[in-house]
Amino acid sequence: MKKLPLLGQFLGRLCWNPYVTAGDTSRNLLLQCLWGLYSEHPSNAVERKANQWIRKVLCQLATEEDDGVAQALMKHMGVPAKEYHLNVLTKMVALLQENVGKSCCSLSNINQRCSCDNILATSDACVPLITCPEASPLIGALLQQPVTCVKEALSEDFLDALSSAYSSRNLSLEEQALVSLWHHSLPSLEEAVLSLLESVTNTTSTPQMLHQQVAQSLLPKACAQHCSLFLVTNDIFRSVLKQAEGNESVKSLVQTFTRCFLWELALLQPQTSVSLKAFFPQSPPSLLVPLLTLPSEMPQESWRNHLNWLSGSLQRLTEEEEEGNGDSRSTRGHYKVFETWFLLVQCAHWVQAAVQLLVTSPEDCGPLLRLLTFYHHPTNRWHHRALQLVGAREAWEHLRSVFSVSARPPIDRLQSLVTLPSSPAPLLTLSLLVNFAVFCQQPLSVSTEILQTVVHHSGLVDEAACVLSSLELRLSEGSCLSNDRVHLRIKELQKTLTHMH
């Protein structure tokens, strides 16, 4: 180029062409020229553009199996074609990975051309390599590259190909790379959440299995790291529950997800400065911290006052909603009540604590029963909330009398419980039944027989087993205080329900 300056101008123009052909006689000469003209340390825009073009043409000339140059190179190096192409691919991936590390934040000269467009070009070039194991380091580097410039965006084709390959199990991603994919691609996050929802609603899982499934999905961990991912995931759960507030499997998933999310968030806590309000912007501020606080984080003697305060707050909200019916405040009232209920569903540990207190500390049961009635019937359809509260109180009083005697009650005393599925609040009554069987002072043999009789005739064996497993999981996680006697009763009751199958 020093002897023939015009050659540089020619090359500068030539490299703007998308494709250059060479005949058999000139191909070797072109290969030698390209090799010699490559600038190891490009100093201007022309040399940088020329290098980019030279790399492209060299790859084209050296990787076509039918090409004479590639055959000559393989013969000269003494390597088989498969090994040669694998080495070329590995080298290409390494070179592309080097480019990923170059961004405008690393440029020392502010007048130097921004190199962030390398990210877009590299991600485009990576699309055909998505399922190649050799490309894994490059894919991880692209996904985890911090965004420092508006130009530094990943190709949509690259993200779509990644998402498709991962969902079809043709690609394995490391944990942090998968989190980064969800952060870069909203459709891939939505697909992951919907896939989890579908798997939970289509199969019957124990609470322990559900907890393991949710934790292994990495969604709680990703949401704890990125507030934006949590907002999207939470909004999907919110939309599903608006359509099916009584779907217990979805409610269980939301509760399990929130419990795993809060655990992951606590592990990050002093590194993250994001407030809880940022994660729950639509929740009533006055109820946010009281509901997100776990029962294990305060003395058990304080549970009663805490739950009474929560119940009073919920009662004021529902009364405001009913007073606003028929005017412009009605829509706002419904919205506030739903968001309050949604937060209560996420923080169901206080619902479970209320059920336990109704058995172990039965005085002043009104506020606790109101909280449980709101949890199971939030929308007050056909204005039946008052009727449901009466039904819940009657069921609680009846169960209390049944489990307060040491002898087995006559069958007619259990008749109203046998018709549990048609009662005003079947799931609430079933939860009370299981908790009475676990926490009451009645002999275990009598409690077991009562539970066995009721769930057998009502056809709620699976539902009772699920309530019992949820209680066991909560006790093992330290959400409430327990003792060896309680754990022993749970194990024996579980054996009975398993045998009934």
Side-chain angles (χ1 to χ4, degrees):
M1 287 182 68
K2 290 179 181 177
K3 293 179 182 178
L4 300 171
L6 290 177
L7 186 60
Q9 295 180 24
F10 169 72
L11 182 59
R13 288 186 169 86
L14 186 64
C15 70
W16 289 96
N17 287 281
Y19 190 77
V20 176
T21 58
D24 290 339
T25 54
S26 59
R27 186 182 287 112
N28 287 341
L29 183 60
L30 177 59
L31 185 62
Q32 293 174 43
C33 288
L34 293 174
W35 205 274
L37 290 172
Y38 185 83
S39 304
E40 187 174 354
H41 303 290
S43 58
N44 54 56
V46 172
E47 290 183 356
R48 283 195 297 272
K49 184 68 179 177
N51 276 2
Q52 185 182 4
W53 178 79
I54 288 168
R55 284 196 298 269
K56 179 181 175 182
V57 176
L58 278 173
C59 286
Q60 174 195 323
L61 291 173
T63 56
E64 292 177 1
E65 289 190 20
D66 296 333
D67 188 84
V69 177
Q71 296 294 335
L73 282 170
M74 283 182 270
K75 184 177 181 181
H76 178 71
M77 292 192 300
V79 295
K82 184 175 181 179
E83 183 181 343
Y84 171 77
H85 288 106
L86 186 61
N87 288 336
V88 170
L89 175 61
T90 304
K91 183 64 176 175
M92 275 181 61
V93 167
L95 289 170
L96 289 170
Q97 197 172 345
E98 284 180 21
N99 287 338
V100 173
K102 301 173 184 177
S103 62
C104 58
C105 64
S106 62
L107 299 179
S108 55
N109 183 358
I110 59 173
N111 295 318
Q112 190 174 349
R113 181 185 176 195
C114 174
S115 59
C116 284
D117 50 0
N118 284 338
I119 301 296
L120 182 62
T122 304
S123 61
D124 260 329
C126 194
V127 172
L129 310 176
I130 289 294
T131 55
C132 294
E134 294 78 15
S136 293
L138 175 59
I139 292 171
L142 282 169
L143 287 172
Q144 296 176 59
Q145 175 74 4
V147 178
T148 57
C149 175
V150 291
K151 295 183 179 180
E152 197 171 15
L154 296 174
S155 158
E156 286 296 325
D157 291 338
F158 171 72
L159 294 172
D160 290 345
L162 263 184
S163 183
S164 175
Y166 182 77
S167 61
S168 59
R169 303 184 186 278
N170 291 325
L171 172 68
S172 176
L173 288 175
E174 292 184 0
E175 184 176 295
Q176 209 51 46
L178 179 59
V179 173
S180 298
L181 172 62
W182 291 335
H183 188 238
H184 281 289
S185 171
L186 179 61
S188 66
L189 172 64
E190 291 174 335
E191 184 176 353
V193 178
L194 293 174
S195 175
L196 181 62
L197 267 166
E198 185 178 359
S199 66
V200 167
T201 53
N202 289 344
T203 57
T204 303
S205 302
T206 65
Q208 288 81 358
M209 290 169 58
L210 178 60
H211 185 277
Q212 184 179 14
Q213 188 178 0
V214 171
Q216 289 178 347
S217 74
L218 292 181
L219 283 167
K221 188 171 188 176
C223 289
Q225 293 177 8
H226 301 282
C227 182
S228 57
L229 301 189
F230 179 81
L231 294 176
V232 172
T233 303
N234 219 27
D235 206 42
I236 294 174
F237 291 149
R238 179 185 287 106
S239 299
V240 173
L241 279 176
K242 278 182 179 177
Q243 304 300 320
E245 68 183 40
N247 191 317
E248 291 302 313
S249 60
V250 176
K251 286 162 73 173
S252 297
L253 172 60
V254 172
Q255 292 157 11
T256 304
F257 172 83
T258 306
R259 187 164 62 247
C260 293
F261 162 75
L262 291 174
W263 171 261
E264 294 289 349
L265 193 63
L267 294 179
L268 292 175
Q269 268 325 328
Q271 294 94 333
T272 180
S273 58
V274 181
S275 67
L276 284 173
K277 180 62 180 172
F279 286 100
F280 299 90
Q282 300 184 60
S283 300
S286 62
L287 290 169
L288 187 57
V289 173
L291 278 172
L292 288 175
T293 302
L294 294 173
S296 58
E297 295 173 342
M298 66 172 67
Q300 192 167 8
E301 298 75 34
S302 303
W303 288 7
R304 168 76 63 175
N305 289 335
H306 190 77
L307 283 163
N308 285 350
W309 182 87
L310 287 172
S311 180
S313 301
L314 296 174
Q315 187 179 11
R316 284 191 295 275
L317 273 172
T318 54
E319 287 173 352
E320 289 172 7
E321 175 208 4
E322 289 167 1
E323 289 172 4
N325 277 339
D327 61 25
S328 59
R329 294 176 301 171
S330 179
T331 302
R332 286 199 306 273
H334 286 310
Y335 170 79
K336 281 183 66 177
V337 169
F338 175 81
E339 287 302 324
T340 303
W341 174 75
F342 183 50
L343 182 62
L344 184 62
V345 169
Q346 293 173 299
C347 306
H349 40 257
W350 284 114
V351 175
Q352 295 161 344
V355 178
Q356 181 182 340
L357 283 184
L358 282 169
V359 178
T360 59
S361 180
E363 65 276 1
D364 189 24
C365 67
L368 302 183
L369 288 171
R370 272 199 305 272
L371 186 145
L372 294 177
T373 303
F374 175 73
Y375 172 77
H376 288 282
H377 306 281
T379 52
N380 197 22
R381 286 176 178 160
W382 305 288
H383 304 282
H384 283 176
R385 188 179 289 139
L387 179 63
Q388 288 152 352
L389 181 58
V390 171
R393 181 181 288 274
E394 289 176 352
W396 172 75
E397 290 174 345
H398 185 60
L399 285 166
R400 189 182 172 194
S401 67
V402 166
F403 282 93
S404 62
V405 295
S406 57
R408 183 189 184 279
I411 190 65
D412 60 320
R413 293 283 308 277
L414 302 179
Q415 193 57 45
S416 61
L417 296 175
V418 169
T419 58
L420 206 155
S422 59
S423 66
L427 294 175
L428 193 161
T429 307
L430 179 64
S431 182
L432 284 169
L433 170 69
V434 172
N435 276 265
F436 266 107
V438 170
F439 291 108
C440 74
Q441 297 303 313
Q442 193 178 57
L444 177 59
S445 59
V446 178
S447 297
T448 302
E449 193 172 350
I450 293 172
L451 180 66
Q452 186 176 14
T453 301
V454 174
V455 298
H456 172 68
H457 288 91
S458 62
L460 295 175
V461 178
D462 289 336
E463 290 79 357
C466 186
V467 174
L468 202 55
S469 295
S470 296
L471 179 58
E472 180 188 33
L473 181 62
R474 182 169 62 93
L475 291 170
S476 64
E477 290 181 341
S479 295
C480 68
L481 301 179
S482 61
N483 52 43
D484 292 340
R485 175 183 174 277
V486 169
H487 285 288
L488 175 63
R489 290 177 74 92
I490 289 176
K491 291 297 182 186
E492 290 302 318
L493 291 170
Q494 285 178 326
K495 287 180 183 177
T496 299
L497 294 178
T498 303
H499 180 70
M500 290 176 68
H501 278 292

